[in-house]
Protein backbone atom coordinates (compact mmCIF):
# COMPACT_ATOMS: atom_id res chain seq x y z
CA UNK A 1 0.00 0.00 0.00
CA UNK A 2 1.22 3.52 -0.85
CA UNK A 3 -0.35 6.67 0.48
CA UNK A 4 -0.57 9.68 -1.81
CA UNK A 5 -1.32 12.87 0.07
CA UNK A 6 -3.41 15.50 -1.66
CA UNK A 7 -2.81 19.06 -0.54
CA UNK A 8 -5.76 19.23 1.89
CA UNK A 9 -4.55 16.80 4.54
CA UNK A 10 -0.77 16.32 4.45
CA UNK A 11 -0.33 15.97 8.22
CA UNK A 12 -2.94 13.21 8.63
CA UNK A 13 -1.55 11.44 5.54
CA UNK A 14 1.99 11.43 6.94
CA UNK A 15 0.85 10.18 10.35
CA UNK A 16 -1.27 7.45 8.80
CA UNK A 17 1.60 6.28 6.58
CA UNK A 18 3.88 6.12 9.60
CA UNK A 19 1.40 4.14 11.63
CA UNK A 20 0.82 1.72 8.71
CA UNK A 21 4.59 1.49 8.07
CA UNK A 22 4.08 2.43 4.46
CA UNK A 23 5.40 5.24 2.31
CA UNK A 24 3.71 8.56 1.73
CA UNK A 25 4.13 10.46 -1.51
CA UNK A 26 3.13 14.12 -1.42
CA UNK A 27 1.39 15.17 -4.61
CA UNK A 28 2.90 18.15 -6.36
CA UNK A 29 0.11 20.55 -7.20
CA UNK A 30 0.71 23.62 -9.31
CA UNK A 31 -1.53 25.78 -11.42
CA UNK A 32 -1.34 27.55 -14.72
CA UNK A 33 -1.85 31.30 -14.66
CA UNK A 34 -5.59 30.83 -15.27
CA UNK A 35 -5.81 28.60 -12.12
CA UNK A 36 -6.07 25.35 -14.12
CA UNK A 37 -4.53 22.64 -11.91
CA UNK A 38 -1.59 20.43 -12.79
CA UNK A 39 -0.71 17.50 -10.50
CA UNK A 40 2.26 15.19 -10.37
CA UNK A 41 3.04 12.14 -8.22
CA UNK A 42 6.75 11.43 -8.04
CA UNK A 43 7.37 7.72 -7.43
CA UNK A 44 6.21 4.43 -8.93
CA UNK A 45 2.60 3.40 -8.37
CA UNK A 46 2.75 0.40 -10.73
CA UNK A 47 0.82 -2.58 -9.34
CA UNK A 48 0.39 -0.84 -5.97
CA UNK A 49 -2.70 -0.35 -3.84
CA UNK A 50 -2.83 3.45 -3.83
CA UNK A 51 -4.63 5.39 -1.11
CA UNK A 52 -5.39 8.97 -2.13
CA UNK A 53 -6.07 11.13 0.91
CA UNK A 54 -7.96 14.32 0.28
CA UNK A 55 -10.78 16.15 2.04
CA UNK A 56 -12.83 18.15 -0.42
CA UNK A 57 -12.94 21.08 1.97
CA UNK A 58 -12.23 24.75 1.24
CA UNK A 59 -11.25 25.52 -1.52
CA UNK A 60 -13.74 22.75 -2.36
CA UNK A 61 -13.58 23.01 -6.14
CA UNK A 62 -9.79 22.87 -6.27
CA UNK A 63 -9.67 19.98 -3.82
CA UNK A 64 -12.27 18.00 -5.80
CA UNK A 65 -10.43 18.62 -9.07
CA UNK A 66 -7.11 17.70 -7.49
CA UNK A 67 -8.55 14.41 -6.26
CA UNK A 68 -9.92 13.58 -9.72
CA UNK A 69 -6.57 14.37 -11.34
CA UNK A 70 -4.67 12.30 -8.76
CA UNK A 71 -6.96 9.30 -9.38
CA UNK A 72 -6.42 9.61 -13.13
CA UNK A 73 -2.66 9.85 -12.57
CA UNK A 74 -2.67 6.70 -10.42
CA UNK A 75 -4.80 4.83 -12.97
CA UNK A 76 -2.48 5.78 -15.86
CA UNK A 77 0.54 4.82 -13.74
CA UNK A 78 -0.79 1.27 -13.50
CA UNK A 79 -1.99 1.20 -9.88
CA UNK A 80 -3.56 -2.16 -9.02
CA UNK A 81 -6.25 -0.53 -6.89
CA UNK A 82 -7.16 3.08 -6.07
CA UNK A 83 -8.80 3.96 -2.78
CA UNK A 84 -10.08 7.50 -2.26
CA UNK A 85 -9.95 8.32 1.44
CA UNK A 86 -11.98 11.49 1.74
CA UNK A 87 -12.38 12.35 5.44
CA UNK A 88 -14.74 15.25 4.61
CA UNK A 89 -16.82 14.85 1.45
CA UNK A 90 -17.54 18.42 0.41
CA UNK A 91 -20.59 18.55 -1.93
CA UNK A 92 -22.03 15.62 0.07
CA UNK A 93 -24.72 17.78 1.65
CA UNK A 94 -26.22 18.49 -1.81
CA UNK A 95 -27.75 15.04 -1.91
CA UNK A 96 -31.11 16.09 -3.36
CA UNK A 97 -32.38 18.92 -5.55
CA UNK A 98 -33.03 22.02 -3.43
CA UNK A 99 -35.45 23.40 -6.06
CA UNK A 100 -37.38 22.01 -9.04
CA UNK A 101 -34.94 20.66 -11.66
CA UNK A 102 -32.02 21.53 -9.37
CA UNK A 103 -28.81 19.47 -9.57
CA UNK A 104 -27.99 16.50 -7.33
CA UNK A 105 -24.41 17.64 -6.90
CA UNK A 106 -23.29 14.84 -4.56
CA UNK A 107 -24.37 12.27 -7.15
CA UNK A 108 -22.47 14.07 -9.92
CA UNK A 109 -19.27 14.20 -7.85
CA UNK A 110 -19.65 10.48 -7.01
CA UNK A 111 -19.94 9.72 -10.75
CA UNK A 112 -16.89 11.83 -11.55
CA UNK A 113 -14.85 10.05 -8.88
CA UNK A 114 -15.77 6.66 -10.29
CA UNK A 115 -14.97 7.81 -13.83
CA UNK A 116 -11.57 9.03 -12.64
CA UNK A 117 -10.72 5.46 -11.69
CA UNK A 118 -11.28 4.97 -7.98
CA UNK A 119 -12.22 1.46 -6.83
CA UNK A 120 -13.21 2.15 -3.25
CA UNK A 121 -14.42 5.22 -1.35
CA UNK A 122 -13.82 5.76 2.35
CA UNK A 123 -15.29 8.75 4.12
CA UNK A 124 -16.55 9.91 7.51
CA UNK A 125 -20.16 10.69 8.38
CA UNK A 126 -21.86 11.36 5.06
CA UNK A 127 -24.62 13.95 5.23
CA UNK A 128 -27.15 11.21 4.48
CA UNK A 129 -26.83 7.46 4.32
CA UNK A 130 -28.49 7.30 0.90
CA UNK A 131 -25.47 9.13 -0.59
CA UNK A 132 -23.71 5.74 -0.46
CA UNK A 133 -26.12 4.71 -3.22
CA UNK A 134 -24.67 7.35 -5.58
CA UNK A 135 -21.60 5.09 -5.92
CA UNK A 136 -21.47 1.67 -7.57
CA UNK A 137 -18.12 0.87 -5.94
CA UNK A 138 -17.55 -0.14 -2.30
CA UNK A 139 -18.25 2.72 0.14
CA UNK A 140 -17.18 2.78 3.79
CA UNK A 141 -19.04 5.56 5.60
CA UNK A 142 -17.37 5.72 9.01
CA UNK A 143 -19.23 6.87 12.08
CA UNK A 144 -17.51 9.04 14.70
CA UNK A 145 -20.22 8.29 17.26
CA UNK A 146 -18.09 5.94 19.38
CA UNK A 147 -15.31 8.56 19.45
CA UNK A 148 -17.78 11.23 20.58
CA UNK A 149 -19.28 8.94 23.20
CA UNK A 150 -15.83 8.24 24.69
CA UNK A 151 -15.62 11.89 25.78
CA UNK A 152 -18.81 11.61 27.87
CA UNK A 153 -20.09 10.12 31.12
CA UNK A 154 -23.82 9.85 30.36
CA UNK A 155 -26.20 10.78 33.15
CA UNK A 156 -29.98 10.84 33.29
CA UNK A 157 -29.96 14.63 33.20
CA UNK A 158 -28.64 14.54 29.60
CA UNK A 159 -30.66 14.59 26.40
CA UNK A 160 -29.49 14.18 22.79
CA UNK A 161 -30.79 16.82 20.37
CA UNK A 162 -30.90 16.77 16.58
CA UNK A 163 -30.95 20.35 15.20
CA UNK A 164 -33.13 19.24 12.28
CA UNK A 165 -35.20 16.34 10.99
CA UNK A 166 -32.48 15.42 8.44
CA UNK A 167 -30.07 14.62 11.28
CA UNK A 168 -32.54 12.52 13.24
CA UNK A 169 -31.03 9.16 12.26
CA UNK A 170 -27.56 10.21 13.47
CA UNK A 171 -29.04 11.58 16.72
CA UNK A 172 -31.08 8.41 17.22
CA UNK A 173 -27.92 6.28 16.93
CA UNK A 174 -26.10 8.57 19.41
CA UNK A 175 -28.96 8.51 21.91
CA UNK A 176 -29.28 4.70 21.65
CA UNK A 177 -25.50 4.36 22.10
CA UNK A 178 -25.59 6.49 25.25
CA UNK A 179 -28.97 5.25 26.48
CA UNK A 180 -30.37 8.80 26.56
CA UNK A 181 -33.60 10.53 25.63
CA UNK A 182 -33.90 12.23 22.25
CA UNK A 183 -35.30 15.56 21.06
CA UNK A 184 -35.47 17.10 17.59
CA UNK A 185 -35.77 20.71 16.49
CA UNK A 186 -38.04 21.79 13.68
CA UNK A 187 -35.78 23.72 11.27
CA UNK A 188 -36.58 25.12 7.87
CA UNK A 189 -34.58 27.17 5.38
CA UNK A 190 -35.99 29.94 3.21
CA UNK A 191 -34.94 30.06 -0.49
CA UNK A 192 -31.97 32.32 0.39
CA UNK A 193 -30.64 29.55 2.68
CA UNK A 194 -31.34 31.33 5.98
CA UNK A 195 -32.59 28.89 8.59
CA UNK A 196 -35.35 29.41 11.13
CA UNK A 197 -36.21 27.22 14.10
CA UNK A 198 -39.65 27.29 15.62
CA UNK A 199 -40.02 24.51 18.17
CA UNK A 200 -38.50 21.47 19.83
CA UNK A 201 -40.12 18.04 19.80
CA UNK A 202 -38.99 16.68 23.17
CA UNK A 203 -38.18 18.16 26.58
CA UNK A 204 -34.88 20.03 26.93
CA UNK A 205 -35.97 21.98 30.03
CA UNK A 206 -33.67 21.33 33.00
CA UNK A 207 -31.43 19.08 30.88
CA UNK A 208 -27.81 19.03 29.71
CA UNK A 209 -28.34 19.09 25.94
CA UNK A 210 -26.01 17.20 23.61
CA UNK A 211 -26.51 18.47 20.08
CA UNK A 212 -25.22 16.19 17.35
CA UNK A 213 -24.79 17.11 13.67
CA UNK A 214 -22.56 16.34 10.68
CA UNK A 215 -21.43 19.85 9.68
CA UNK A 216 -20.85 23.20 11.31
CA UNK A 217 -20.32 25.64 8.46
CA UNK A 218 -21.53 29.18 9.19
CA UNK A 219 -22.76 28.04 12.60
CA UNK A 220 -26.26 29.31 11.81
CA UNK A 221 -27.89 25.93 12.53
CA UNK A 222 -25.99 25.27 15.75
CA UNK A 223 -26.25 28.73 17.27
CA UNK A 224 -29.96 29.09 16.50
CA UNK A 225 -30.51 25.66 18.06
CA UNK A 226 -28.60 26.79 21.17
CA UNK A 227 -30.75 29.91 21.56
CA UNK A 228 -33.96 27.93 21.16
CA UNK A 229 -32.86 25.29 23.69
CA UNK A 230 -31.84 27.97 26.20
CA UNK A 231 -35.22 29.70 25.72
CA UNK A 232 -36.83 26.37 26.52
CA UNK A 233 -34.89 26.03 29.77
CA UNK A 234 -31.84 23.92 28.84
CA UNK A 235 -29.28 23.85 31.68
CA UNK A 236 -26.20 23.52 29.49
CA UNK A 237 -25.39 22.74 25.86
CA UNK A 238 -22.55 20.73 24.38
CA UNK A 239 -22.29 20.03 20.64
CA UNK A 240 -20.72 17.11 18.77
CA UNK A 241 -20.22 17.92 15.12
CA UNK A 242 -18.13 15.76 12.83
CA UNK A 243 -16.93 18.24 10.22
CA UNK A 244 -15.71 21.66 11.29
CA UNK A 245 -16.12 23.65 8.08
CA UNK A 246 -16.16 26.83 10.23
CA UNK A 247 -16.51 29.33 7.42
CA UNK A 248 -17.12 33.09 7.51
CA UNK A 249 -17.21 34.52 11.02
CA UNK A 250 -18.34 31.25 12.62
CA UNK A 251 -15.50 31.20 15.17
CA UNK A 252 -16.27 34.77 16.22
CA UNK A 253 -19.96 33.91 16.71
CA UNK A 254 -19.00 30.80 18.68
CA UNK A 255 -17.43 32.92 21.42
CA UNK A 256 -20.77 34.64 22.15
CA UNK A 257 -23.10 31.71 21.51
CA UNK A 258 -24.85 30.10 24.50
CA UNK A 259 -22.87 26.91 23.90
CA UNK A 260 -20.57 25.50 26.59
CA UNK A 261 -18.32 23.43 24.36
CA UNK A 262 -17.99 22.03 20.87
CA UNK A 263 -16.39 18.73 19.94
CA UNK A 264 -15.37 18.25 16.30
CA UNK A 265 -13.04 15.87 14.47
CA UNK A 266 -10.04 16.64 12.30
CA UNK A 267 -11.66 15.56 9.00
CA UNK A 268 -10.86 19.14 8.01
CA UNK A 269 -7.55 20.52 9.28
CA UNK A 270 -7.41 23.90 11.02
CA UNK A 271 -4.29 25.67 12.27
CA UNK A 272 -5.80 27.08 15.45
CA UNK A 273 -9.20 27.09 17.00
CA UNK A 274 -11.22 28.47 19.90
CA UNK A 275 -10.72 27.28 23.49
CA UNK A 276 -14.36 26.15 23.37
CA UNK A 277 -13.44 23.52 20.75
CA UNK A 278 -12.00 20.05 21.33
CA UNK A 279 -10.70 18.23 18.25
CA UNK A 280 -10.86 14.43 18.11
CA UNK A 281 -8.33 12.64 15.91
CA UNK A 282 -9.86 10.24 13.35
CA UNK A 283 -6.58 8.48 12.53
CA UNK A 284 -7.46 5.20 14.27
CA UNK A 285 -10.94 5.20 12.73
CA UNK A 286 -9.65 5.50 9.15
CA UNK A 287 -6.72 3.17 9.76
CA UNK A 288 -9.16 0.46 10.89
CA UNK A 289 -11.27 1.00 7.77
CA UNK A 290 -8.28 0.82 5.43
CA UNK A 291 -7.26 -2.53 6.86
CA UNK A 292 -10.74 -4.02 6.42
C1 LIG B 1 -27.75 20.57 7.27
O1 LIG B 1 -28.59 19.82 6.82
C2 LIG B 1 -26.48 20.08 7.89
O2 LIG B 1 -26.67 18.89 8.57
C3 LIG B 1 -25.87 21.12 8.80
O3 LIG B 1 -26.77 21.35 9.86
C4 LIG B 1 -25.61 22.41 8.07
O4 LIG B 1 -24.91 22.17 6.86
C5 LIG B 1 -24.79 23.33 8.92
O5 LIG B 1 -24.56 24.51 8.22
P1 LIG B 1 -24.51 25.91 8.96
O6 LIG B 1 -23.48 25.79 10.06
O7 LIG B 1 -24.08 26.88 7.89
O8 LIG B 1 -25.89 26.20 9.46
Amino acid sequence: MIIVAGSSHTDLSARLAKSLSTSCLFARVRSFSDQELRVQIEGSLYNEEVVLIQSTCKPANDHVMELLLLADTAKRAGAAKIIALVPYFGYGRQDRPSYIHGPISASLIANLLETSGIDRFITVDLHSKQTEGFFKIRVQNLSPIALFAQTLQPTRSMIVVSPDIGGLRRAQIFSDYLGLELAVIHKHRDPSGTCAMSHVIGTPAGKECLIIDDIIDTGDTLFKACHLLKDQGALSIKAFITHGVLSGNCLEKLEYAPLDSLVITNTIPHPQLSKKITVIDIETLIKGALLN
Side-chain angles (χ1 to χ4, degrees):
M1 183 185 282
I2 287 191
I3 288 182
V4 173
S7 62
S8 75
H9 235 320
T10 49
D11 172 62
L12 182 69
S13 306
R15 285 191 292 118
L16 194 61
K18 194 170 174 200
S19 117
L20 289 165
S21 305
T22 188
S23 44
C24 183
L25 303 175
F26 294 91
R28 199 158 170 218
V29 185
R30 286 168 292 172
S31 52
F32 289 94
S33 62
D34 66 350
Q35 308 294 307
E36 181 181 322
L37 292 182
R38 183 152 67 128
V39 307
Q40 194 175 351
I41 304 169
E42 283 163 359
S44 173
L45 302 180
Y46 183 73
N47 226 10
E48 296 282 0
E49 184 175 60
V50 175
V51 183
L52 304 174
I53 302 186
Q54 176 86 320
S55 273
T56 51
C57 53
K58 189 179 169 188
N61 298 333
D62 279 357
H63 283 153
V64 167
M65 196 62 209
E66 191 185 313
L67 179 58
L68 294 169
L69 295 173
L70 288 174
D72 191 60
T73 311
K75 183 172 66 179
R76 290 173 193 279
K81 192 170 180 190
I82 305 171
I83 300 171
L85 200 168
V86 183
Y88 170 63
F89 182 42
Y91 277 99
R93 61 185 141 173
Q94 297 187 63
D95 56 4
R96 57 187 183 278
S98 58
Y99 55 91
I100 295 169
H101 305 315
I104 307 178
S105 310
S107 171
L108 174 66
I109 301 292
N111 290 338
L112 290 172
L113 283 169
E114 284 193 28
T115 303
S116 71
I118 69 162
D119 302 291
R120 184 171 150 201
F121 183 72
I122 303 177
T123 191
V124 181
D125 203 1
L126 283 169
H127 183 60
S128 61
K129 179 123 182 87
Q130 58 267 32
T131 302
E132 292 176 32
F134 294 156
F135 294 86
K136 289 182 203 73
I137 53 173
R138 182 177 175 207
V139 174
Q140 287 164 278
N141 177 20
L142 312 176
S143 170
I145 279 184
L147 296 175
F148 285 155
Q150 276 166 21
T151 69
L152 280 169
Q153 285 291 345
T155 67
R156 270 195 278 173
S157 65
M158 291 177 174
I159 186 168
V160 171
V161 181
S162 175
D164 53 32
I165 304 288
L168 192 52
R169 185 178 176 278
R170 181 180 299 101
Q172 176 81 67
I173 294 170
F174 196 42
S175 71
D176 286 350
Y177 197 98
L178 297 168
L180 296 173
E181 256 182 78
L182 177 63
V184 58
I185 294 175
H186 182 251
K187 167 180 125 177
H188 52 93
R189 284 191 190 269
D190 67 22
S192 73
T194 310
C195 78
M197 293 183 175
S198 45
H199 57 278
V200 184
I201 304 164
T203 320
K207 292 281 177 71
E208 297 171 55
C209 295
L210 311 176
I211 298 179
I212 183 155
D213 205 354
D214 58 333
I215 298 171
I216 173 167
D217 185 351
T218 62
D220 206 24
T221 301
L222 176 62
F223 304 144
K224 280 186 177 149
C226 291
H227 283 288
L228 183 62
L229 292 170
K230 278 284 178 189
D231 289 349
Q232 302 230 342
L235 275 186
S236 65
I237 307 172
K238 189 167 188 172
F240 296 84
I241 305 191
T242 312
H243 309 291
V245 175
L246 308 172
S247 71
N249 61 349
C250 179
L251 288 173
E252 218 172 284
K253 290 188 286 184
L254 173 67
E255 296 311 312
Y256 304 102
L259 172 72
D260 298 278
S261 59
L262 168 63
V263 179
I264 60 173
T265 74
N266 59 348
T267 57
I268 298 173
H270 290 284
Q272 71 185 70
L273 289 169
S274 153
K275 286 202 180 99
K276 274 190 174 180
I277 300 181
T278 303
V279 181
I280 296 183
D281 191 4
I282 52 155
E283 187 195 321
T284 49
L285 186 68
I286 55 180
K287 182 180 169 187
L290 266 178
L291 298 175
N292 270 306

